[in-house]
Amino acid sequence: MANSRQRKPDDRSNNVERIQGIIKNTEEKLHEAEISMEFADPMQSKMVKEKNERRKQSIEALKEEMKDEMAARKNGEV
């Protein structure tokens, strides 16, 4: 019996906006976590700092991805 489900086509038309939303959300979480460190014990504070470093790395990677998507859009690839 053949699989009758069709895969959705790759729709990159809203990737720039989607990535912008993810960046904004991540930046907000980073800021909220920094505020929460004021009330955290040393172990929790260390964990939050480590997580925020990962968030910062993710934000940088997302910004690069967004640049790629913007270039693709400009070049008519999207």
Side-chain angles (χ1 to χ4, degrees):
M1 186 175 199
N3 187 356
S4 61
R5 293 177 74 170
Q6 296 291 324
R7 291 176 55 139
K8 291 183 179 181
D10 185 21
D11 180 13
R12 294 173 53 192
S13 64
N14 69 340
N15 277 4
V16 171
E17 294 79 11
R18 184 181 57 78
I19 293 169
Q20 284 174 332
I22 295 169
I23 290 170
K24 181 180 178 194
N25 183 275
T26 305
E27 288 173 337
E28 288 172 359
K29 287 183 179 181
L30 191 145
H31 179 69
E32 290 170 4
E34 287 175 350
I35 292 170
S36 74
M37 281 195 296
E38 294 178 28
F39 309 103
D41 64 48
M43 184 63 160
Q44 289 173 325
S45 183
K46 180 179 184 278
M47 291 173 60
V48 170
K49 285 179 185 178
E50 290 171 356
K51 188 161 190 169
N52 276 354
E53 282 305 312
R54 292 190 299 272
R55 285 181 172 130
K56 289 175 185 177
Q57 292 171 358
S58 294
I59 289 168
E60 290 306 312
L62 286 164
K63 286 180 178 180
E64 289 300 316
E65 184 178 349
M66 189 170 67
K67 286 179 190 176
D68 292 344
E69 289 295 327
M70 289 170 64
R73 184 181 283 182
K74 183 178 179 181
N75 295 330
E77 298 171 20
V78 178

